[in-house]
Amino acid sequence: MPESPQATAKAQAPWLLLCFDSNYRLELRRDTVGALLVASTGKATDPLPSEAHFLTQTTLGSAPLEIYCRVGREPGEVGAVISLEALNEAVEAGREVLSEALAVSLESLHGVLFRLPYLDLGTNDYIYRFRTAKERNRKIYIDTRSNALYQSRLCAAIKAVRRTKEKTSGAPALLDFGSVRYVIPSHFGFCLGVQNAIERAYEAVAAYPDTRVFMLSELIHNPFVNKDLLARGLRYLQTDKGLPLNAEGKPANGPHDPAALWNQLKSEDTVIIPAFGATNEDKTRLISKGLAIREYDATCMLVEKVWKSARRYAAEGYTVVIHGKSEHEETKATFSNSSAQGPSLIVRNLEHARLLGEVILAKGPEKTRRFEQEFAGLYSEDFDPNQDLEKIAVVNQTTLLRNETLAIIEYLKGIMAEKYGAPAVEKHIWSQGKGDTLCYATQVNQDALQKALEHPIDAALVIGGKNSSNTYQLYRVCKDAIGERAHYIQSEDNLISSKLVRHHIFHAGPAVADSTNAVERAFLSLPKQGDLPLHLLLTGGASCPDGIIQQVISRINSFFPPESLRSMEAVLAEIEGED
């Protein structure tokens, strides 16, 4: 989240203060002829009001003017508040006239308004920090309606025994049910960012039972969680690809469609920002409408950590190269934040990075031609490949494979060595804390899966939403290890029989980003009793609830004669006895 320096003891130039209430509605006054004025102005020698934060600088006439903001003060008796969107509409319709100072200050907000809710945050502050185990609020979303979705005594026992360290993978759990044995990695399922986001969503519903609560887009990439939220009254403003939706949850006829929920928002509504974060453009729209987005901004800390790193790199003169999928909400949010700080570029994978390497080594008009051809729509405004590729720093979409990001960094280091010489590499590609923007939750799930794959495996099931990027990366790890015996499913419903599984195909290319489909393919060939037990690996993506994993186990167990199976209680007793 881009930050502004807080107000200094004394402004360096004449200043103007914009006062907003807690819904970012502007407090205004009128002069003697009826024009709208801001709350207060001052000279550089005048003391700044308390709780004022610097936002931006502009000019009034030919003189510099510093714009400060104060957020959260409720209007006094002589003041009135109005959303910026309503104010702009009134001015365009000729119903209001702005003073010159106010007109100039409002014009200067373009491109920085998204920072308004976060002006009090320092460099080491986060919008929404992870809660500790004692602060967890699972009771807000585990009730009689959702118990089977979220609750699993089996998964809880595995995590308690095997997940001894949150950031370090351990040995997998081996569950002996008799005819079938399960290999479960030490780390699987909900990460802390997802838990935080889910809690915020359910807390919003509970806190505002009589008002409308919206999600900017899918809270997480899991259809069952999102379905449960919709059943409680929440609604999406847009799809995960940014397409506006109407009240029926169907695509609106473009952004200006009056039926689009975006165009029906009121300041008393609540909008939840998902764990992926949001673009500056979407935040600006919400702020302009007078919506208090800070309270229910559930952006994951580790996503925000990437934004902070990108800001640091840009401040030191590096162009930020984002390893991510351009259509994914997280990458769009990261690109939006990064490009507000300096030149930014998205590369999809190592093959795409090789094209960037060719551009870096190219010269003259060919350099620009290749860049515009290979990276159309993937770079920030006014990007100059002749200058902006001399110093680069790589960050990533947190749900991708760590090794691929590191491979991209190593490849680009080689390109810089070829272009500038090995001794100069560190001047041209950020090398301090290599890979320090990678999500530890994504990485530890992958590490734990690798350890589980060291055991004999007849088949593997990776469970998660069909559009979940981190789940797909887990499937890639399994597929690389055991090929077609690895399957990608959403729930137990995809297990048609012991012989057939409905395997989801994750389309990773941008051209087919909106299409997913599934195929039925061979699952298990139950051997004769003498060849049992079968060994099955199960894991879940970061947005997969524990309850679904236990339901998958129950479904698989149903394929075997009851007399050949040990009871769930007996298996639980063994696991809990390890503690």
Side-chain angles (χ1 to χ4, degrees):
M1 174 61 56
E3 303 165 35
S4 294
Q6 296 193 6
T8 54
K10 182 182 294 184
Q12 303 301 309
W15 53 265
L16 179 149
L17 178 68
L18 299 176
C19 291
F20 295 87
D21 71 358
S22 56
N23 283 70
Y24 318 121
R25 293 174 295 192
L26 185 61
E27 179 182 344
L28 297 173
R29 304 172 187 272
R30 297 188 184 277
D31 63 14
T32 56
V33 295
L36 290 172
L37 297 169
V38 292
S40 56
T41 58
K43 302 175 183 178
T45 54
D46 295 334
L48 287 163
S50 62
E51 300 179 4
H53 295 269
F54 176 77
L55 182 62
T56 189
Q57 183 167 323
T58 185
T59 58
L60 182 60
S62 58
L65 181 68
E66 293 182 355
I67 307 299
Y68 288 81
C69 294
R70 182 166 57 191
V71 178
R73 193 179 83 163
E74 299 306 321
E77 292 182 359
V78 297
V81 293
I82 186 171
S83 72
L84 294 177
E85 182 179 79
L87 179 59
N88 288 332
E89 291 174 354
V91 171
E92 290 176 2
R95 298 192 302 271
E96 293 288 359
V97 176
L98 305 182
S99 66
E100 182 183 5
L102 179 56
V104 167
S105 63
L106 293 182
E107 181 67 25
S108 71
L109 296 185
H110 294 304
V112 297
L113 186 61
F114 65 91
R115 293 160 51 182
L116 186 61
Y118 313 99
L119 290 177
D120 61 316
L121 294 181
T123 303
N124 297 319
D125 294 326
Y126 287 86
I127 299 169
Y128 185 34
R129 285 188 173 274
F130 292 158
R131 294 171 173 178
T132 65
K134 292 182 178 179
E135 295 171 329
R136 290 260 70 82
N137 191 18
R138 297 178 75 237
K139 64 182 180 181
I140 198 70
Y141 62 87
I142 298 178
D143 53 25
T144 54
R145 178 191 301 180
S146 62
N147 186 67
L149 175 62
Y150 294 109
Q151 188 72 11
S152 168
R153 182 181 164 192
L154 183 65
C155 291
I158 293 170
K159 292 177 181 179
V161 173
R162 296 300 185 190
R163 192 177 294 190
T164 55
K165 294 182 179 179
E166 185 65 37
K167 299 182 181 181
T168 305
S169 63
L174 306 177
L175 311 183
D176 183 3
F177 278 88
S179 291
V180 58
R181 293 178 180 174
Y182 298 96
V183 182
I184 313 289
S186 62
H187 290 66
F188 62 89
F190 279 175
C191 63
L192 290 178
V194 167
Q195 290 183 52
N196 272 252
I198 289 176
E199 288 172 13
R200 298 305 286 144
Y202 285 90
E203 285 167 353
V205 173
Y208 300 103
D210 301 320
T211 59
R212 301 189 303 175
V213 180
F214 297 94
M215 290 178 281
L216 184 62
S217 62
E218 287 188 350
L219 183 74
I220 58 175
H221 285 160
N222 186 283
F224 304 100
V225 172
N226 288 314
K227 182 179 179 181
D228 185 61
L229 286 165
L230 289 172
R232 296 169 188 261
L234 277 79
R235 291 294 176 265
Y236 300 136
L237 291 178
Q238 59 194 27
T239 70
D240 60 347
K241 302 301 182 290
L243 302 176
L245 297 171
N246 60 28
E248 297 177 353
K250 298 179 180 179
N253 295 320
H256 302 296
D257 183 356
L261 290 174
W262 262 110
N263 299 321
Q264 298 177 8
L265 288 174
K266 303 180 184 301
S267 60
E268 59 266 26
D269 294 331
T270 297
V271 175
I272 301 164
I273 293 176
F276 315 112
T279 66
N280 295 337
E281 294 75 17
D282 281 345
K283 287 183 176 179
T284 295
R285 291 178 68 189
L286 293 170
I287 293 166
S288 296
K289 291 176 178 292
L291 283 119
I293 65 173
R294 169 77 174 269
E295 184 180 5
Y296 290 102
D297 185 343
T299 301
C300 175
M301 277 182 63
L302 300 180
V303 171
E304 194 180 352
K305 179 184 177 184
V306 175
W307 301 353
K308 289 176 179 289
S309 296
R311 181 167 63 253
R312 183 172 76 252
Y313 301 154
E316 296 191 23
Y318 289 85
T319 289
V320 176
V321 177
I322 304 165
H323 171 212
K325 295 181 290 186
S326 60
E327 72 279 1
H328 193 282
E329 300 105 311
E330 182 191 324
T331 294
K332 288 190 288 188
T334 296
F335 179 77
S336 178
N337 274 272
S338 176
S339 59
Q341 305 299 317
S344 301
L345 171 70
I346 301 172
V347 297
R348 191 172 195 87
N349 49 34
L350 182 56
E351 290 73 21
H352 203 193
R354 294 188 192 282
L355 296 176
L356 178 61
E358 294 174 7
V359 170
I360 291 173
L361 296 177
K363 297 179 180 180
E366 177 67 8
K367 188 184 192 77
T368 300
R369 186 192 69 78
R370 286 292 307 277
F371 179 77
E372 293 177 350
Q373 173 184 312
E374 304 294 352
F375 295 94
L378 300 176
Y379 55 86
S380 54
E381 188 176 359
D382 299 325
F383 196 106
D384 183 353
N386 293 294
Q387 297 181 5
D388 296 333
L389 294 175
E390 292 183 357
K391 293 178 63 178
I392 61 175
V394 178
V395 300
N396 80 325
Q397 179 182 318
T398 60
T399 54
L400 298 182
L401 291 175
R402 172 187 175 88
N403 288 341
E404 187 164 19
T405 301
L406 295 179
I408 289 172
I409 293 173
E410 289 303 310
Y411 169 74
L412 292 175
K413 285 177 66 176
I415 290 294
M416 291 306 189
E418 182 177 347
K419 184 174 178 68
Y420 299 105
V425 166
E426 291 192 0
K427 295 180 180 179
H428 295 278
I429 183 168
W430 180 275
S431 299
Q432 303 174 42
K434 182 179 63 175
D436 65 352
T437 66
L438 298 171
C439 168
Y440 72 78
T442 297
Q443 182 57 42
V444 75
N445 279 6
Q446 294 169 10
D447 291 345
L449 178 57
Q450 292 281 13
K451 289 182 179 179
L453 284 164
E454 294 173 3
H455 292 256
I457 301 295
D458 292 302
L461 292 173
V462 181
I463 311 164
K466 63 184 180 181
N467 58 338
S468 168
S469 180
N470 79 85
T471 305
Y472 173 65
Q473 304 309 325
L474 294 175
Y475 166 70
R476 283 180 61 191
V477 172
C478 286
K479 185 176 183 296
D480 289 346
I482 63 174
E484 296 300 307
R485 290 181 289 138
H487 310 285
Y488 185 160
I489 66 173
Q490 290 197 100
S491 72
E492 75 279 4
D493 290 341
N494 296 141
L495 300 175
I496 302 169
S497 70
S498 63
K499 296 181 179 180
L500 281 179
V501 59
R502 184 172 292 110
H503 164 73
H504 286 279
I505 298 174
F506 186 97
H507 291 288
V512 288
D514 290 319
S515 67
T516 54
N517 56 23
V519 295
E520 293 182 6
R521 64 186 195 181
F523 179 34
L524 300 174
S525 295
L526 295 184
K528 296 179 181 180
Q529 188 67 29
D531 296 326
L532 292 172
L534 286 176
H535 293 82
L536 301 181
L537 185 151
L538 296 185
T539 191
S543 55
C544 179
D546 285 354
I548 291 181
I549 294 175
Q550 183 156 332
Q551 291 163 28
V552 168
I553 290 175
S554 296
R555 172 64 173 162
I556 295 172
N557 285 356
S558 72
F559 299 148
F560 297 87
E563 62 272 16
S564 72
L565 294 172
R566 301 177 67 217
S567 70
M568 181 69 74
E569 288 300 322
V571 174
L572 272 167
E574 283 185 354
I575 300 172
E576 293 170 346
E578 295 181 34
D579 195 353

